[in-house]
Amino acid sequence: MEAPLNPDSLLDPSTPAGAPSAYWVGPRQLAGDDGRLYDSVADTLAGLGWTSLTIVRGRRELDERLEDGQVLRSTVLHISPNALRWAQWVLPDEPFHLGGLPIAWQVSARSDASSPLAEWSAYFTPDVPGEVLTDFLLALDECGHPTAALTGPEVVLDAVTAQGWLRDAEEPHSTAMHPTFTSRLSLSEVPPLIQDADSRVLTTESDGTGPFGWQAWAEPAMGAPYLWAASFGASVPHGLVAAFASSLSSTAPVLRRVLPESTRDRLLRAPAS
């Protein structure tokens, strides 16, 4: 059984001997990734039968022994059995940033395995709760057509408002937020460099706006640096984003041993025993 969450129970590395080393914490959107974002996701994908491939980039002088070569960057690519879905741990490359944070995972899908290009991609920075990204990937693995848009955007907002999030008064059909205003989910303009098959990605409308996709982020305090950010390309099916949104807004606590410094005082905690 999980103990009731207690705002006065501190998770501190310097706790005395015999104190719990892990806690149940909430809300999960402020709980961080426990320093295990790669491991938690990779373990899930391995359990689903996805194949992993390590991509190593390095530098080696002509007279240098192979074992002495300097590895500059290394990423890991996970591919589904039908090759229609893949997830890449790109943090070592840090190709670009979202909300001032480097990308950790890039998830992509296509409808034809013979095509070299993804039809959509989604991006997640460090400190996205591993449980949330895992639930998104489980939904992606289970869906029969990873690029088919079977539902409208309302399903995403319904997923979070069903668990207590509030619709934005000015944009009720495109934006919702946690009651503490620390996390938001919005159907808005896709940031630059987001890969997507939607041809509008390469152009802008007459008013200067580009295509819209779902964006999510956690901002512990007004004007504070983001804890994490996620961006979904314009072609990501709303049903898959709804799986992410439902997990993100879940009131079920998550197990943590390490908490983000910026949200420690905002989390409820209960010893895990």
Side-chain angles (χ1 to χ4, degrees):
M1 295 291 293
E2 297 167 6
L5 296 181
N6 180 354
D8 299 319
S9 177
L10 298 178
L11 180 61
D12 190 323
S14 62
T15 48
S21 60
Y23 287 73
W24 293 104
V25 305
R28 67 171 56 187
Q29 73 269 11
L30 298 181
D33 61 18
D34 208 27
R36 299 189 65 255
L37 188 57
Y38 174 76
D39 292 334
S40 61
V41 172
D43 289 349
T44 296
L45 295 178
L48 294 173
W50 289 37
T51 301
S52 63
L53 173 67
T54 300
I55 304 170
V56 177
R57 301 176 179 87
R59 182 173 60 206
R60 179 168 171 257
E61 304 297 334
L62 291 177
D63 59 349
E64 187 178 36
R65 295 181 304 172
L66 181 61
E67 58 270 26
D68 293 334
Q70 180 184 4
V71 174
L72 300 181
R73 297 178 297 178
S74 177
T75 64
V76 184
L77 179 66
H78 300 259
I79 307 172
S80 69
N82 62 10
L84 296 181
R85 309 155 175 87
W86 61 95
Q88 188 171 0
W89 174 252
V90 297
L91 185 59
D93 279 334
E94 297 188 14
F96 64 94
H97 289 62
L98 283 177
L101 300 170
I103 301 298
W105 281 99
Q106 176 180 343
V107 180
S108 306
R110 57 189 173 186
S111 58
D112 183 357
S114 65
S115 172
L117 300 177
E119 294 186 33
W120 61 255
S121 291
Y123 302 79
F124 308 88
T125 73
D127 273 324
V128 166
E131 297 84 356
V132 178
L133 180 49
T134 292
D135 286 341
F136 173 75
L137 287 165
L138 288 172
L140 173 61
D141 185 78
E142 293 171 0
C143 70
H145 302 284
T147 61
L150 303 178
T151 61
E154 197 69 15
V155 68
V156 179
L157 296 174
D158 288 346
V160 294
T161 56
Q163 301 188 94
W165 283 41
L166 309 174
R167 290 183 185 244
D168 186 278
E170 296 181 358
E171 300 177 323
H173 301 295
S174 62
T175 302
M177 66 198 76
H178 189 265
T180 60
F181 305 106
T182 55
S183 303
R184 295 176 70 92
L185 182 69
S186 178
L187 183 60
S188 53
E189 188 174 358
V190 174
L193 302 180
I194 300 299
Q195 297 178 20
D196 197 274
D198 190 324
S199 59
R200 293 174 298 166
V201 170
L202 303 177
T203 62
T204 57
E205 302 295 336
S206 58
D207 61 0
T209 62
F212 278 38
W214 288 100
Q215 316 302 315
W217 64 93
E219 186 178 16
M222 184 73 70
Y226 287 177
L227 174 62
W228 57 262
S231 179
F232 301 85
S235 299
V236 179
H238 299 296
L240 293 178
V241 182
F244 171 90
S246 178
S247 182
L248 179 67
S249 58
S250 172
T251 57
V254 291
L255 189 65
R256 291 291 184 270
R257 292 172 176 81
V258 179
L259 294 184
E261 198 64 38
S262 63
T263 59
R264 290 170 63 93
D265 61 349
R266 290 182 172 270
L267 291 167
L268 303 178
R269 315 163 188 83
S273 56

